[in-house]
Amino acid sequence: MAIRVKLDHLLLDRRVTLTELAERIDITIANLSVLKTNKARAIRFSTLDALCRELNCQPGDLLEWTDEA
Amino acid sequence: MKRIQRSPVAPVLFAIVNGAWYLVAIVLVLAVVLTLAGARVAIQLGPDGALNIDAAHPNVTMAIPVSVRVDDRALRVAAPGLGIDRAQLDDLQGTLRFPPRWGAFFAANLVFAVCWLGLALWILGVLRSLVGTLRAGRPFAAANASRVRSIGWAVIIGEAVRVSVVYFENRYAATHFSADGLQFLTRLDVSVVAIVYGLIIFALAEVFRAGTRLDEDQSLTV
């Protein structure tokens, strides 16, 4: 996918585990894992909003476009 | 894959299709057993070692579809109440029932009946799997599009086979039977409705395919 989710970097920076984040934004770990491993096909604005709020970042900090096929 | 709310109709549909599957399976087993038993009775080795073939069983009748044209001189059709003193019966379709004679035609009909029941059983099996996914709340399971498509093919191919068989049975009747005032016809009786049903099922298969793709997208939307 050309859009990469940099959730792993942000989690490392903020020293937050996937489980903690899942509890804080009320999303299942399975879904968050799909996002973290770049398997997601789409992300809801509500999810993006919750992630930015909890990780104190901008959408651009979370998403990155790469030239991969 | 996310489950959607279960349809209240699905369990009823599943029960009906399941019941039909068992019914056809029993009829198929009976047909195979009777066919084998009939063949065993009909084909016997004579005392001189020669093959003795006799299928004129007293209680067995064979029925084949026929098309007939009625000679309007032999059969007068009128509606006096409407003031119509002469009407005409055109091509009629019906069933010709007769005691069978063992031979290629009889054997081919038995084999065809067993194959037909087998096809019906297979379609019902596919339909049962399909309705099973509906019952489980997973209508867009990945296999469903190909299941629907295969049912569509079965309907179209089944119709083609039916037309061919009816044609040859019509021809058999026209060759061997005669009746006063009737003329047996040989017709290619293609059912447009069956073809249209097949095409509608193909369209439904495409709907299922698109639905499966949307469902996958939906399940990977976080």
Side-chain angles (χ1 to χ4, degrees):
Chain A
M1 183 181 268
I3 300 290
R4 208 172 73 83
V5 181
K6 298 187 291 180
L7 189 59
D8 44 357
H9 292 174
L10 281 167
L11 288 173
L12 210 63
D13 279 355
R14 307 294 193 266
R15 297 180 188 281
V16 179
T17 65
L18 201 66
T19 313
E20 284 170 357
L21 184 62
E23 282 171 7
R24 280 198 226 161
I25 63 174
D26 198 24
I27 286 181
T28 62
I29 299 173
N31 271 346
L32 217 48
S33 181
V34 165
L35 203 59
K36 184 171 165 262
T37 52
N38 286 297
K39 287 177 185 163
R41 289 204 187 154
I43 181 165
R44 292 191 183 88
F45 277 169
S46 57
T47 307
L48 198 55
D49 175 50
L51 285 170
C52 289
R53 189 182 62 241
E54 288 302 323
L55 297 172
N56 192 26
C57 66
Q58 290 296 315
D61 300 328
L62 201 58
L63 304 174
E64 177 189 45
W65 181 80
T66 60
D67 203 9
E68 294 169 15
Chain B
M1 189 176 291
K2 289 177 183 173
R3 291 182 177 210
I4 61 167
Q5 194 179 5
R6 292 180 188 188
S7 156
V9 182
V12 179
L13 264 178
F14 187 79
I16 292 170
V17 173
N18 211 20
W21 189 89
Y22 280 110
L23 187 70
V24 173
I26 290 166
V27 173
L28 178 62
V29 169
L30 283 176
V32 171
V33 168
L34 290 176
T35 301
L36 293 176
R40 237 181 98 184
V41 170
I43 303 173
Q44 293 167 342
L45 277 176
D48 54 350
L51 203 62
N52 181 25
I53 298 173
D54 175 23
H57 309 301
N59 296 324
V60 177
T61 57
M62 185 175 176
I64 60 170
V66 286
S67 301
V68 291
R69 181 173 294 144
V70 180
D71 184 354
D72 52 358
R73 287 168 299 182
L75 189 68
R76 185 180 156 80
V77 183
L82 297 173
I84 300 168
D85 61 347
R86 193 145 193 88
Q88 193 170 345
L89 278 170
D90 276 333
D91 297 352
L92 303 177
Q93 292 181 327
T95 304
L96 182 68
R97 200 174 289 280
F98 56 94
R101 294 289 176 268
W102 185 265
F105 181 76
F106 182 63
N109 268 280
L110 285 176
V111 171
F112 171 72
V114 169
C115 292
W116 196 250
L117 284 168
L119 180 71
L121 193 67
W122 179 76
I123 291 177
L124 283 169
V126 173
L127 201 56
R128 190 169 64 160
S129 307
L130 182 74
V131 178
T133 60
L134 298 185
R135 195 175 62 156
R138 295 183 294 109
F140 296 118
N144 278 359
S146 59
R147 281 178 183 143
V148 175
R149 200 177 305 114
S150 52
I151 291 174
W153 277 118
V155 168
I156 302 252
I157 292 170
E159 174 59 14
V161 172
R162 188 198 64 80
V163 169
S164 312
V165 169
V166 168
Y167 175 83
F168 284 109
E169 289 183 339
N170 278 185
R171 197 170 160 167
Y172 180 84
T175 309
H176 295 93
F177 288 85
S178 62
D180 293 339
L182 292 178
Q183 184 192 354
F184 287 98
L185 305 172
T186 304
R187 294 170 46 154
L188 271 176
D189 182 27
V190 180
S191 167
V192 178
V193 174
I195 305 288
V196 170
Y197 280 159
L199 295 176
I200 289 172
I201 293 170
F202 280 141
L204 276 176
E206 287 307 301
V207 171
F208 267 89
R209 202 167 61 85
T212 304
R213 204 178 55 239
L214 287 174
D215 195 51
E216 280 172 9
D217 278 352
Q218 174 67 19
S219 67
L220 289 173
T221 297
V222 181

